[in-house]
């Protein structure tokens, strides 16, 4: 590749972010990845640790000034990985630095990884992958079209609104002239359309952008479109119009000829500000949060005050509050709601999707969550390319809006552990790939652009990949019975229910991980149960071969987990090599790191290693560890992990390059 | 924004956040009745939460609490029902019943009802608004009674606030009436029985439990478990009459080769005669945790040859190391000022091969103030906008962090450094108890079991004279006493923090920890009464009261952590970084009705464990059968593969 000046640099040190430890290794630069391979000379048992960093994940590269030990290179990633290398020779460092600078800022879509990524699928498989999510079917599931809502072809050629999808659902009474008239009165032509239909009460969740009302402008078509939305719901004589912006922002927009609906002009609306801050506030807030948690010696006080002053959790709460308001209005009052912000693709997407998630248990399943993202985010034109900085664009357009949405969902999973089919790991994986540009789903800003790029022909779909690994993302606590009993979630928004998402922001900082994970315990337990079951079956078969009827009948004991086990009668696929679920522990170097971190935490001088049989949970580096971990990890790590050495070297399932 | 916030927590115009007071504050406040109802309360709280999530307007079908109570009480047969259905414990008598009392609920307004005061609890019931409301506060938890002004309720109405030790302050308004006895007077008498020459309720309580909790702790047996006595350490009866040290237990473990005279001289050199004694010994390295009080060095740097020799022997008892580390829990500046008050610390130049570390933990007064601030933060309302900075202002988590870090240092010194440690603070009964017990919890998996934890508390706290009576102020009206301090709560909080980080390492669950804390105050059980073993012997506590462990161990399944795996011989080092410590809201903020505990995932786990046990049983059954058949028929498929999959079930999880 023409941009790579030095493909390989040896004798590079990788510094740990939260301790003074470092690892030596070799740095490789490929067309898609920056790879650090730890040299295995100082450790005889296992191959060195490997870190694969996708170029698209790199948010910034910084070359610090030369020190006595070498030239430091600091790399910050969008998935919150932060690494610091020290390269011995300044020239090498500069080569890598300038290569990366070029590589991490692709100028056109065709340079993105998705266009070169090939998971060895044929065209038919790829086609099937793209057909996995069908929004038409999703609207049918909601009960649309129906006697009040219909599919309109007004946007078939993206003529009315180029950032909307082709297929849109509007009230049956809304004629084409009304729609077109309304779209001219709405910012970016994003007129009110249906996004979720609550069948039980016939209440609709609609979305749009702000009206171009200025100080006094009106639009009769827009007014009658809102009227039509209201009329489509017989349960209520009015609609809520939720402006998700703070009132001050909406007022300021009026001076620019935009603004918000005037209750006097629209009959039967109830107008409401919600007060979620804009993308710039969110970007700064997350930056502050990352600064706080990135500090090495972080005192309790700095942490708590920093967490609060970053405002991040407050913003999360604001989004959840808005979603709760929406949910209450629709499910309790049975009123249709129209949601908008400025352009109707950031805050509106957050509130509509989170509200739907609270209302409809389907969206809390793995498939349903994919559908939700496809519908409210991808198809309705959340500007992924701009917000995630896929191409070298305007830094002011970059903002963690989608990350924020995922975090809101995570906070809900913490409150309702039984309500979600997927685990945290699923959310992290989606976040990973929103930024990886490895799959076509999130490329571009809207559907029209995606069609122009022919993504369905030239790239693969993330949903198919995630679906094929579904077993890895299951939440062991999920209970469909719970969802049936609680179709609508009512989260609490007390401040202490909003927690710092350690596994997202410290995903790659091993020393920050908890020592024991319930998720891991449960997964091991389930694997064991499954093994027991298959042993049971094998034994029964043998008995039958021997011509004996088993004493116990073969119906399994009645307990909820059987449902899960039924669905995957075969053994589980290998557990992903995630740090959170516990990376293969047979890695000695890593253990030593942990131990040393621990000592630093403890604040003691270095101690000679021990050879007793006692084991130090989460921190011992001695060989006795092997045995105990074998026990702890159950049969999993000893059996399955070894079978899959290739997976071990990859983090977070970023597939190995094929070119 | 206001309007939405209201809608968001479900407080619409015609329904209050929790649907009805019964499942709201009723479930929330009614938790203090003892025995089974405590567990039941937690279950109710969870049930209320779940039903409130179905749909806000649905009135959860809430069974009359008293009936539930009956079924919940395992030993419910003894519960007698009196007027107005006040459930009474065996031995409990009603003192007064006052009608037309108003409970000023901070969450749902005024409630009119009947207040009953027994010699154990205060029981308020209301039947307003068709829903049954119960507030049940045991008197032991009351710290002080305060009169408050009640506007707009007529002239002869008085207000009363019960400031409680467990982070809440219920308020009442009542009419002063010649015909009715004065509530304050009755409450005063029974909430603070010791100040009125009355017995504590623990001495009146007549419950019979199938398990005797007093048998949980036997010092000799515990030392035997640790492998003591051995050639270096002996179990001494020198303090059997509490003559040597009146705050120490009768059984002490001291080095073998030291004479009684030397010990007596050492006792004179240590504050309150609390000489260095063994708390725990490492099963392999023989490194020990030794606890004591500060040396009486004084401003003139006094020396005591016997004390120096004593520490030398302790060091020599551990062949693996030629050093001894002293952890002084105090702030170094405080330790220095203590010299002026005839106290002080060991000088490294007088004690050879001794290393002195200060752990910089502030004293009991600082801790008391910290928890007081915490109460302001969590009760009755929470300032949503400044939650984190308000928590920061209390410094509570900072102190938790200091304690855990200190204990981890001690544990690490023993485990990795194989060096014996001596831990002391000033008197060696507050911070010392916290540190030694936490370090032992990290080092010894036995203490992480339900039974072992009881032994740990009995040993390091109760028998070694943590002044529970003074620190908690059982039955004493002097609420401003500067001796009071939440040291034990801090310890339990640390345990909770550890159990969060190692969810599978502790046999007991959160409910157990909360129950222990609730009965720290309740005076229902004799376990935490009085300051020292000597006092307890004099008052015949074991003969005349019931042990908390009797109650706990009679229904262990309620207090067992389903995630528990016996991590035998594992040393747990908790992470003490600020990112890993969190406020224990399910204890501190539990009176807030908006506090919703999470959906009980442990139920899922329990079911899985049952399933696993069932599968395991059947595998074994079939194996047996298969092997019996394969004996007759030739078998190359020996049942060994099933063994390999069958056995890890035990060890893996």
């Amino acid at each position: 590749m023409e941009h790579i000046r030095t493909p390989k640099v040896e004798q590079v040190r990788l510094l740990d972010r939260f301790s003074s430890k470092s690892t030596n290794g070799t740095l490789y630069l490929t067309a898609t990845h920056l790879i650090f391979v730890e040299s295995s000379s100082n450790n005889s048992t296992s191959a060195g640790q490997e870190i694969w960093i996708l170029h698209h994940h790199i948010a910034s590269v910084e070359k610090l000034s030369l020190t006595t030990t070498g030239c430091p290179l600091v790399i910050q990633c969008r998935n919150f990985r932060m690494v610091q290398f020290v390269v011995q020779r300044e020239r090498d460092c500069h080569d890598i630095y300038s290569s990366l600078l070029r590589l991490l800022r692709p100028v056109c879509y065709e340079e993105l990884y998705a266009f070169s990524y090939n998971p060895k699928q044929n065209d038919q498989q790829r086609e099937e992958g793209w057909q996995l999510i069908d929004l038409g079917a999703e609207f049918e599931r909601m009960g649309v079209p129906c006697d009040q809502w219909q599919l309109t072809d007004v946007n078939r050629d993206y003529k009315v609104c180029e950032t909307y999808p082709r297929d849109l659902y509007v009230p049956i009474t809304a004629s084409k002239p009304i729609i077109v008239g309304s779209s001219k009165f709405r910012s970016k032509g994003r007129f009110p359309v249906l996004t979720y239909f609550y069948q039980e009460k016939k209440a609709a969740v609609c979305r749009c952008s702000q009206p171009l009302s200025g100080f006094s402008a009106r639009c009769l078509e827009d007014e009658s479109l809102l009227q039509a939305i209201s009329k489509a719901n017989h349960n209520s004589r009015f609609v809520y119009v939720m402006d998700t912006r703070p009132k001050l922002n909406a007022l300021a927009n009026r001076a620019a000829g935009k603004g918000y609906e005037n209750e006097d002009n629209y009959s039967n609306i109830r107008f409401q500000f919600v007060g979620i801050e804009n993308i710039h506030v969110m970007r700064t807030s997350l930056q502050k949060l990352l600064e706080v948690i990135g500090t090495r010696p972080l005192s309790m006080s700095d942490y708590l005050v920093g967490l609060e002053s970053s405002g991040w959790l407050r913003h999360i709460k604001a989004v959840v509050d808005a979603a709760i308001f929406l949910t209450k209005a629709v499910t309790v009052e049975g009123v249709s709601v129209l949601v908008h912000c400025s352009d109707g693709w950031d805050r509106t997407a957050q509130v509509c999707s989170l509200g739907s998630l609270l209302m409809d248990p389907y969206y809390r399943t793995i498939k349903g969550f994919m559908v939700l993202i496809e519908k409210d985010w991808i198809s309705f034109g959340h500007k992924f390319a701009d917000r995630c900085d896929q191409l070298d664009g305007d830094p002011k357009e970059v903002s963690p809006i989608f990350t924020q949405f995922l975090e809101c969902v995570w906070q809900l999973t913490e409150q309702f552990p039984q309500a979600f089919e997927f685990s945290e790991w699923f959310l992290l994986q989606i976040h990973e790939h929103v930024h990886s540009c490895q799959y076509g789903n999130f490329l571009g800003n809207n559907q029209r652009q995606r069609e122009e790029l022919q993504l369905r022909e030239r790239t693969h779909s993330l949903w198919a990949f995630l679906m094929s690994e579904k077993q890895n993302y299951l939440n062991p606590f999920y209970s469909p019975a719970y969802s049936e009993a609680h179709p609508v979630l009512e989260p609490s928004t007390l401040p202490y229910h909003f927690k710092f998402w350690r596994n997202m922001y410290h995903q790659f900082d091993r020393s920050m991980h908890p020592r024991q994970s319930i998720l891991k315990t449960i997964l091991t337990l389930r694997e064991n149960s499954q093994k027991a079951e298959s042993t049971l079956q094998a034994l029964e078969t043998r008995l039958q071969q021997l011509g004996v009827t088993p004493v116990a009948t073969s119906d399994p004991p009645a307990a909820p987990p059987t449902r899960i086990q039924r669905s995957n009668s075969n053994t589980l696929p290998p557990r992903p090599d995630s740090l959170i679920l516990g990376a293969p522990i047979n890695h000695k170097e890593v253990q030593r790191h942990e131990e040393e971190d621990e000592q630093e935490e403890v604040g003691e001088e270095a101690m000679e290693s021990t050879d007793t049989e006692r084991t130090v949970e989460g921190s011992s580096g001695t060989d006795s560890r092997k045995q105990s971990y074998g026990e702890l990890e159950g049969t999993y790590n000893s059996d399955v992990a070894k079978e899959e050495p290739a997976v071990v070297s990859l983090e977070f399932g970023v597939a190995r390059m094929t070119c | 924004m206001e309007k939405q916030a209201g809608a968001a927590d479900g407080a619409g115009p015609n329904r209050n956040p929790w649907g009805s007071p019964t499942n709201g504050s009723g479930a929330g406040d009614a938790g203090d009745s003892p025995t089974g109802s405590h567990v039941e309360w937690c279950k109710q709280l969870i049930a209320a939460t779940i039903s409130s999530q179905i749909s806000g307007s649905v009135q959860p079908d809430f069974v009359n609490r008293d009936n539930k109570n009956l079924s919940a009480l395992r030993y419910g047969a003894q519960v007698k029902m009196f007027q107005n259905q006040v459930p009474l414990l065996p031995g409990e008598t009603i003192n007064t019943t006052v009608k037309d009392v108003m409970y000023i609920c901070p969450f749902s307004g005024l409630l009119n009802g009947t207040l009953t005061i027994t010699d154990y609890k205060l029981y308020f019931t209301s039947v307003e608004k068709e829903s049954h409301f119960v507030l049940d506060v045991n008197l032991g938890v009351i710290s002080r009674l305060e009169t408050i002004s009640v506007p707009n309720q007529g002239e002869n109405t008085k207000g009363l606030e019960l400031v409680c030790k467990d982070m809440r302050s219920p308020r009442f308004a009542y009419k002063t009436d010649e015909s009715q006895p004065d509530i304050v007077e009755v409450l005063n008498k029974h909430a603070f029985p010791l100040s009125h020459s009355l017995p504590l309720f623990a001495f009146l309580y007549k419950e019979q439990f199938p398990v005797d909790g007093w048998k949980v702790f036997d010092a000799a047996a515990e030392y035997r478990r640790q492998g003591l006595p051995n050639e270096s350490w002996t179990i001494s009866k020198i303090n059997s009459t509490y003559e040597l040290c009146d705050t120490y237990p009768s059984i002490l473990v001291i080095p073998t080769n030291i004479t009684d005279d030397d010990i007596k001289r050492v006792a004179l050199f240590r504050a309150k005669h609390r000489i260095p004694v063994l708390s725990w010994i490492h099963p392999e390295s023989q490194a020990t945790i030794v606890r004591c009080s500060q040396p009486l060095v004084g401003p003139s740097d006094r020396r005591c040859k016997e004390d120096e020799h004593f520490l030398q022997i302790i060091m020599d008892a551990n062949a693996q190391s030629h050093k001894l580390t002293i952890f002084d829990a105090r702030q170094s500046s405080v330790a220095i000022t203590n010299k002026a008050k005839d106290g002080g610390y060991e000088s490294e130049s007088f004690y050879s091969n001794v290393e002195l570390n200060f752990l910089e933990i502030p004293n009991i007064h600082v801790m008391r103030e910290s928890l007081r601030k915490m109460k302001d933060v969590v009760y009755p309302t929470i300032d949503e906008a400044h939650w984190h900075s308000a928590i920061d202002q209390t410094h509570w988590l900072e102190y938790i962090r200091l304690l855990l870090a200190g204990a981890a240092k001690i544990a690490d010194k023993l485990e990795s450094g194989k060096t014996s440690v001596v831990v002391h603070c000033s008197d060696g009964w507050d911070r010392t108890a916290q540190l030694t017990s936490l370090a032992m919890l990290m080092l010894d998996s036995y203490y992480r079991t339900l039974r072992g934890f009881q032994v740990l508390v009995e040993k390091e706290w109760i028998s070694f004279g943590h002044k529970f009576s003074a620190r908690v102020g059982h039955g004493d009206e002097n609420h401003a006493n500067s001796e009071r301090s939440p040291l034990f709560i801090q310890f339990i909080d640390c345990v909770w923090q550890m159990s969060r980080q190692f969810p599978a390492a502790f046999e007991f669950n959160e409910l157990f920890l909360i129950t222990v804390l609730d009965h720290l105050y309740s005076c229902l059980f004799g376990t935490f009464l009085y300051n020292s073993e000597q006092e307890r012997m004099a008052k015949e506590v074991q003969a005349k009261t019931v042990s908390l462990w009797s109650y706990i161990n009679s229904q262990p399944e309620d207090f067992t952590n389903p995630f528990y795996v016996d991590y035998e011989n594992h040393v747990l080092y908790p992470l003490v970084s600020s990112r890993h410590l969190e406020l224990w809201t399910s204890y501190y903020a539990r009176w807030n009705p908006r506090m919703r505990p999470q959906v009980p995932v442990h139920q899922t786990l329990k079911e899985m464990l049952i399933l696993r046990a069932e599968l395991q049983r059947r595998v074994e059954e079939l194996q047996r059968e298969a092997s019996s058949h394969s004996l007759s028929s030739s078998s190359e498929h020996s049942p060994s593969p099933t063994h390999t999959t069958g056995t890890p079930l035990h060890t893996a999880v």
Side-chain angles (χ1 to χ4, degrees), chain A residues 231-512:
Chain A
K231 284 269 163 61
N233 178 1
H234 300 308
N235 284 330
S236 168
R237 292 181 46 251
F238 64 94
V239 276
Y240 279 112
V241 175
M242 259 176 99
D243 190 329
T244 52
R245 299 169 293 181
K247 188 171 184 185
L248 214 60
N249 299 22
L251 283 171
N253 261 306
R254 290 214 303 204
K258 298 163 187 171
Y260 55 92
E261 290 82 357
N262 183 341
E263 268 184 311
D264 299 337
N265 296 341
Y266 294 83
S267 48
N268 304 331
I269 69 162
R270 289 201 188 166
F271 189 82
Q272 186 79 51
F273 283 113
V274 171
I276 303 173
E277 298 289 347
N278 64 23
I279 59 165
H280 311 295
V281 175
M282 298 307 182
R283 180 179 53 240
T284 323
S285 172
L286 186 59
Q287 260 159 13
K288 272 192 211 157
L289 177 76
L290 293 176
E291 262 167 47
V292 169
I293 60 161
T295 329
R296 238 217 286 168
L298 184 59
S299 79
M300 203 73 220
S301 183
D302 289 345
Y303 173 67
L304 289 171
V305 172
L307 200 60
E308 180 171 298
S309 64
S310 78
W312 181 250
L313 293 178
R314 203 175 64 235
H315 297 313
I316 297 280
K317 176 172 147 56
V319 177
V320 175
D321 272 335
I324 291 172
F325 176 83
L326 172 68
T327 309
K328 284 260 158 71
V330 171
T331 60
V332 180
E333 297 182 60
V335 182
S336 295
V337 185
L338 175 65
V339 185
H340 73 74
C341 48
S342 294
D343 289 323
W345 51 41
D346 292 314
R347 286 166 274 200
T348 303
Q350 287 180 327
V351 173
C352 287
S353 52
L354 207 60
S356 313
L357 192 80
L358 292 177
M359 283 183 244
D360 194 333
Y362 175 65
Y363 295 130
R364 304 195 286 264
T365 63
I366 287 183
K367 177 83 183 287
F369 193 65
M370 295 175 179
V371 170
L372 185 68
I373 292 175
E374 188 74 32
K375 173 167 73 75
D376 272 319
W377 291 85
I378 298 175
S379 88
F380 277 113
H382 173 70
K383 302 202 291 174
F384 279 105
D386 288 354
R387 298 290 177 258
C388 303
D389 205 14
Q390 287 168 354
L391 297 185
D392 200 4
D394 181 1
K396 283 228 162 67
E397 283 284 304
V398 180
S399 187
I401 301 301
F402 188 71
T403 307
Q404 199 169 40
F405 163 70
L406 290 179
E407 178 162 342
C408 290
V409 177
W410 176 78
Q411 303 279 4
L412 293 177
T413 62
E414 285 286 289
Q415 274 197 49
F416 304 99
Q418 288 184 291
F420 293 83
E421 190 191 7
F422 48 84
S423 66
E424 175 182 43
W425 170 230
F426 183 59
L427 299 175
L428 291 173
Q429 190 76 328
I430 292 175
H431 183 257
E432 180 85 8
H433 286 295
V434 165
H435 293 282
S436 74
C437 300
Q438 185 177 350
Y439 296 93
N441 306 59
F442 299 104
L443 302 190
N445 282 327
N446 50 57
Q447 291 297 64
R448 185 185 173 168
Q449 207 178 0
R450 287 184 194 106
E451 281 173 25
E452 281 166 6
L453 288 167
Q454 297 174 294
L455 292 178
R456 287 172 84 104
E457 287 76 44
R458 299 168 68 192
T459 69
H460 293 82
S461 167
L462 170 67
W463 305 136
F465 165 70
L466 291 180
M467 205 45 112
S468 70
E469 292 204 321
K470 189 179 175 192
Q471 295 304 329
N472 291 331
Y473 308 122
L474 289 175
N475 167 18
F477 296 115
Y478 176 57
S479 147
Y482 178 85
S483 284
E484 263 167 48
H486 309 85
V488 179
L489 298 184
E490 287 182 59
S492 157
T493 55
L494 278 178
Y496 52 77
H497 280 124
F498 294 95
K499 294 173 188 160
F500 170 63
W501 192 2
R502 201 172 46 209
N503 284 350
M504 170 67 100
Y505 304 107
H506 282 311
Q507 196 176 343
F508 298 97
D509 301 310
R510 186 177 278 276
S511 54
M512 288 294 144

Side-chain angles (χ1 to χ4, degrees), chain B residues 95-330:
Chain B
N95 285 303
T96 184
T97 302
V98 189
K99 293 215 163 76
D100 288 329
V101 176
M102 239 153 343
Y103 170 55
I104 309 170
C105 177
F107 315 108
S108 53
L110 293 178
L111 278 170
N112 206 332
T114 307
L115 183 72
T116 306
I117 300 168
T118 73
D119 45 6
Y120 171 66
K121 66 172 174 277
L122 169 156
Y123 196 82
F124 174 83
T125 55
S126 160
V127 284
E128 249 179 38
K129 297 174 198 160
E130 296 164 15
S131 54
H132 200 83
F133 175 87
V134 173
L135 176 71
D136 182 343
V137 184
N138 71 60
L139 299 180
V141 85
I142 297 173
S143 169
R144 66 173 194 270
L145 301 169
E146 238 173 50
T147 41
I148 52 168
S149 63
V150 207
N152 315 325
Q153 291 292 336
E155 274 196 4
N156 54 350
T157 306
K158 273 189 176 176
L160 173 67
E161 177 171 355
L162 312 176
V163 181
C164 292
K165 296 165 184 171
D166 64 351
M167 317 292 282
R168 59 175 162 166
S169 304
R171 295 168 161 216
F172 294 95
Y174 60 99
K175 299 241 183 313
T176 43
D177 191 343
E178 291 296 317
S179 62
Q180 289 192 336
D182 187 22
I183 295 177
V184 178
E185 200 178 293
V186 179
L187 270 180
N188 227 327
K189 200 165 133 194
H190 293 282
F192 312 117
L194 293 189
S195 304
H196 296 87
S197 314
L198 289 170
L200 289 165
F201 183 74
F203 289 92
L204 306 172
Y205 184 44
K206 296 281 172 278
E207 188 76 88
Q208 300 284 321
F209 288 100
V211 178
D212 183 6
W214 293 122
K215 297 208 171 88
V216 164
F217 177 62
D218 170 6
E222 164 59 16
Y223 288 122
R224 214 176 306 124
R225 186 191 68 85
Q226 293 187 17
L228 297 167
N230 62 16
E231 54 186 15
S232 315
W233 296 92
T234 181
I235 292 175
S236 162
K237 294 256 171 17
I238 188 168
N239 199 36
S240 55
T241 54
Y242 307 107
E243 247 172 46
L244 178 77
C245 171
D246 56 358
T247 57
Y248 261 1
S250 56
I251 293 181
L252 295 173
V253 177
I254 52 172
T256 35
N257 31 9
I258 192 148
T259 65
D260 285 5
D261 286 347
D262 280 356
I263 290 177
K264 278 171 190 151
R265 265 183 222 113
V266 171
L268 290 175
F269 187 64
R270 290 279 168 180
K272 308 284 193 299
H273 302 171
R274 294 170 70 92
I275 57 163
V277 293
L278 178 141
S279 264
W280 190 77
I281 184 162
H282 195 288
E284 277 143 22
S285 69
Q286 305 287 303
T288 49
I289 298 179
V290 172
R291 59 182 290 173
C292 59
S293 60
Q294 65 179 341
L296 300 176
V297 173
S300 56
D301 280 331
R302 263 196 304 273
R303 291 180 67 169
C304 172
K305 284 272 174 266
E306 290 80 10
D307 193 68
E308 288 161 28
H309 180 59
F310 199 102
L311 293 194
Q312 182 69 42
I313 292 174
I314 291 170
M315 186 191 321
D316 294 344
N318 169 16
Q320 305 251 13
S321 172
H322 301 292
K323 270 194 162 178
L324 184 71
T325 307
I326 299 176
F327 286 99
D328 189 325
R330 298 168 294 183

Side-chain angles (χ1 to χ4, degrees), chain B residues 183 246 400 425 476 542 634:
Chain B
I183 295 177
D246 56 358
I400 295 288
C425 47
D476 177 28
Q542 294 215 4
S634 74

